[in-house]
Amino acid sequence: RGFRVSPLSSRALRERGEMKAAHRQVSAREALKAQAVSNFFPNIALIGTFGFARGTSADDNPDPFANDPFNSLGYGAYLGLSWRLNFAQLNSKLQASVANVAKAKAELHGLKQQITLDIGSQYLEVLRRVKALELRDQAQVQAKQWVTSTMMSQSAGLISVKEALDAITAYFTTSLAYDRDIYEYNLALIRLWSLSGLDPLSLLSD
């Protein structure tokens, strides 16, 4: 049985905290760049006004030049414009923001490569541990068969006690090494889980 490494990398690139922070950093830098570009254009404001009053106890004065606060109708519009003309300074800020965007994107790209490399390396380590367990399991079976054979031979007087003890010692040595390999395999799985944020055992494939 093996693992599908692609979902591990995909989840890590999508969910890991440093990846989210790097994406937010790029978005923030791009917003600052857009603001720096907008500073080259004027700010325009259009304001409209309207006023209407009708008195219930005062007659409307027919004189258009008379000041009648009780009966009035008025409207108007105002256009405002402001423009920064320090283009050299604005261009300097724009170039700085462009450089910051490029830097943030480069850091994001580097982080993606590093995470992918770390997961790939740990994935290969898990596969190596799986292969080691398979070989160790075969060695343990052979050691057990050797112990059985030597014990039968020693009982029949065909070999010495020392030769039988050698076989038993080899079997227990192989068993201890097998337990160590299981520990190293579990440790490799935990590290892969920590890097990807996804349980590797959920991705076992035949």
Side-chain angles (χ1 to χ4, degrees):
R1 297 167 69 87
F3 300 98
R4 301 187 303 275
V5 69
S6 178
L8 297 173
S9 298
S10 298
R11 179 180 175 85
L13 295 177
R14 185 179 64 252
E15 299 294 339
R16 278 181 57 163
E18 58 266 50
M19 283 299 301
K20 292 181 178 181
H23 279 293
R24 287 194 293 268
Q25 180 74 357
V26 170
S27 298
R29 297 297 184 183
E30 289 179 338
L32 291 175
K33 175 187 172 183
Q35 181 180 1
V37 171
S38 68
N39 288 335
F40 281 90
F41 301 94
N43 296 318
I44 300 175
L46 179 62
I47 303 173
T49 62
F50 176 80
F52 175 78
R54 178 66 62 187
T56 58
S57 59
D59 295 333
D60 188 7
N61 193 329
D63 186 353
F65 300 101
N67 182 15
D68 185 0
F70 302 102
N71 299 278
S72 63
L73 173 64
Y75 53 87
Y78 303 91
L79 178 65
L81 182 146
S82 65
W83 199 350
R84 299 179 182 179
L85 300 179
N86 53 335
F87 295 114
Q89 183 179 1
L90 293 177
N91 185 65
S92 177
K93 291 183 178 180
L94 175 59
Q95 295 303 318
S97 65
V98 170
N100 288 334
V101 170
K103 179 182 178 181
K105 288 184 176 180
E107 290 175 349
L108 175 61
H109 180 68
L111 183 59
K112 286 181 178 179
Q113 288 186 321
Q114 185 62 50
I115 290 176
T116 302
L117 178 62
D118 290 343
I119 291 178
S121 298
Q122 191 60 34
Y123 168 76
L124 293 177
E125 175 66 13
V126 170
L127 294 183
R128 189 176 73 84
R129 292 298 176 183
V130 170
K131 187 64 177 178
L133 275 176
E134 292 174 351
L135 295 176
R136 193 72 69 182
D137 185 58
Q138 295 174 6
Q140 192 172 23
V141 171
Q142 293 174 359
K144 187 174 183 180
Q145 292 174 348
W146 185 26
V147 168
T148 302
S149 175
T150 54
M151 293 301 295
M152 294 176 62
S153 298
Q154 198 277 329
S155 298
L158 300 177
I159 62 174
S160 65
V161 174
K162 180 181 180 304
E163 290 176 309
L165 290 177
D166 288 342
I168 295 174
T169 301
Y171 172 75
F172 281 111
T173 301
T174 303
S175 297
L176 290 175
Y178 183 75
D179 292 339
R180 184 182 65 249
D181 286 340
I182 290 178
Y183 168 79
E184 294 292 345
Y185 169 71
N186 290 333
L187 186 60
L189 279 179
I190 292 173
R191 288 173 177 167
L192 185 58
W193 192 346
S194 176
L195 288 170
S196 65
L198 187 63
D199 183 1
L201 295 180
S202 66
L203 302 175
L204 281 173
S205 60
D206 295 330

